[in-house]
Amino acid sequence: DGLRFTLVSMSGQGRAIKLSIPRVAGYRAYLNKIWNATRFALMNVGTEPVKPLEAVRQDLSWADRWILSRLQRITERANTGLKTYHFHETADGMYHFFWDEFCDWYIELVKGAVAPGAPEIPREAARSVLIHVIDQSMRLLHPLCPFQTEEIWQKLPGRAERWPNHAFCAVSPYPDAEQSWVDEDAEFRLGQVQETLTLIRNARHESGLPIQQKVPAIVITDDEILTGVLKGYDA
């Protein structure tokens, strides 16, 4: 799958591809990242039934709404890439979505929500979103990485209930973007959160403080909505 993903990613260069072994290793690391993200999700979701996404719609956090909106964006891009034979665009979009947005941001933001002892309502919402995003991501990635995506898809809780007529990821429907889940407000607010946290991290790095050391940070803003969003992630 790592080699296959590499070839697809480089297909935009034309017919003559100069194979890069370091790039193969890099995409292998990307697939390993998917394994680790799935392991985190399965460990924290547990064996209890996961509610359908629509059932927790009113309980979604800003981070939940943001990742679901971003999922629709990449779904649209993936479909466009496949239909126009620009397979490298599908690969590039999925790479950045899963690594940068899902793993580096969403999972970090919801660790508290899915931790043992977390409040039930946000935990149920985060559990549903985690499984939904992984389910849809595996179906989006399947044409590019058929072996790993099939293995992961088979292990997702509630798979048989969601897809009673599809025993394999290979024959499950390829996702289409659902505009009802596009949330420009959540994308804007989480963009502010990302910018704020990046500035804080840069300041800590420039001060020479260890990355593991927790330090107090003061954010001054007259935006009440942003203040509320940031307070939700004050840990």
Side-chain angles (χ1 to χ4, degrees):
D1 274 350
L3 177 59
R4 183 187 181 103
F5 195 86
T6 303
L7 295 174
V8 171
S9 299
M10 301 176 71
S11 63
Q13 300 177 12
R15 298 182 62 185
I17 297 176
K18 184 177 181 181
L19 183 62
S20 169
I21 299 303
R23 287 194 66 175
V24 176
Y27 288 128
R28 181 183 179 186
Y30 165 67
L31 297 181
N32 189 56
K33 188 87 168 179
I34 294 176
W35 277 116
N36 291 336
T38 304
R39 187 179 298 112
F40 166 83
L42 295 180
M43 286 175 57
N44 286 277
V45 166
T47 58
E48 300 175 5
V50 177
K51 294 182 179 180
L53 201 58
E54 195 63 47
V56 298
R57 187 165 193 152
Q58 300 303 317
D59 303 323
L60 298 177
S61 68
W62 283 101
D64 295 331
R65 291 163 53 188
W66 171 75
I67 196 63
L68 289 172
S69 185
R70 298 304 301 162
L71 179 62
Q72 309 317 312
R73 308 285 191 190
I74 185 54
T75 299
E76 186 173 3
R77 181 177 176 183
N79 274 274
T80 300
L82 293 181
K83 290 175 182 177
T84 58
Y85 298 97
H86 293 163
F87 304 122
H88 61 290
E89 294 185 1
T90 298
D92 181 69
M94 286 305 304
Y95 179 90
H96 289 291
F97 169 77
F98 207 94
W99 190 305
D100 298 338
E101 298 181 336
F102 184 64
C103 294
D104 286 357
W105 283 106
Y106 179 72
I107 285 181
E108 293 299 321
L109 290 172
V110 299
K111 279 184 176 179
V114 296
E120 182 179 356
I121 291 178
R123 184 171 186 271
E124 285 300 315
R127 290 173 74 242
S128 297
V129 173
L130 277 170
I131 296 304
H132 177 84
V133 173
I134 294 176
D135 176 297
Q136 187 156 323
S137 296
M138 293 307 100
R139 289 184 288 127
L140 286 170
L141 269 172
H142 188 76
L144 313 183
C145 306
F147 300 102
Q148 179 167 315
T149 52
E150 185 71 66
E151 179 73 15
I152 290 174
W153 195 76
Q154 292 292 335
K155 295 181 182 298
L156 295 179
R159 178 194 56 77
E161 290 73 20
R162 286 192 303 276
W163 305 107
N165 300 321
H166 303 285
F168 300 98
C169 184
V171 296
S172 63
Y174 197 75
D176 287 315
E178 298 182 44
Q179 293 303 311
S180 64
W181 291 104
V182 173
D183 192 328
E184 294 185 358
D185 192 25
E187 291 191 37
F188 173 71
R189 293 302 176 182
L190 260 293
Q192 290 181 307
V193 171
Q194 291 172 323
E195 184 178 356
T196 302
L197 294 179
T198 299
L199 289 172
I200 293 172
R201 290 170 181 171
N202 290 343
R204 178 170 60 181
H205 176 73
E206 292 171 359
S207 301
L209 296 171
I211 193 171
Q212 298 86 358
Q213 180 179 343
K214 288 190 175 183
V215 295
I218 300 175
V219 180
I220 301 175
T221 176
D222 57 1
D223 189 328
E224 294 183 1
I225 297 179
L226 176 59
T227 300
V229 176
L230 290 172
K231 283 183 177 180
Y233 303 108
D234 61 1

